[in-house]
Amino acid sequence: MNDERDAGAATPSPLTEPLSYAVYTGIRLDTPGAEEVPAAAQLGLEPPRYCGQCGRRMVVQVVPDGWTARCSRHGTVDSHALGVA
């Protein structure tokens, strides 16, 4: 196994910039209208539901003080780590 290759190829987190997909709709960002953000998300009440890297639906758990979202390919992101909650 080549450990040097694996160490240099870090998988981006679901919300790492640059994003390829809209995190609230799962639509590719190069699609017209993809940047539209739902009203609840604008108010900070809605966590991201789709991975910004691959567009897959994430497993989201909402708790009283924040949320966590997990993509099967790109890992987990937490509202506390982002400074959102």
Side-chain angles (χ1 to χ4, degrees):
M1 210 194 253
N2 187 352
D3 291 323
E4 291 176 22
R5 178 189 57 166
D6 294 339
T11 302
S13 114
L15 300 181
T16 300
E17 299 283 338
L19 301 175
S20 298
Y21 293 85
V23 296
Y24 298 107
T25 61
I27 299 171
R28 281 198 60 83
L29 290 177
D30 57 4
T31 305
E35 295 85 17
E36 294 179 20
V37 177
Q42 290 177 3
L43 295 171
L45 302 174
E46 184 71 22
R49 301 288 179 171
Y50 294 88
C51 177
Q53 302 301 321
C54 64
R56 285 183 174 81
R57 181 98 167 147
M58 294 192 291
V59 176
V60 177
Q61 181 172 9
V62 178
V63 293
D65 63 344
W67 51 261
T68 59
R70 180 176 47 87
C71 172
S72 62
R73 300 285 194 261
H74 296 99
T76 301
V77 65
D78 182 297
S79 62
H80 296 288
L82 295 175
V84 176

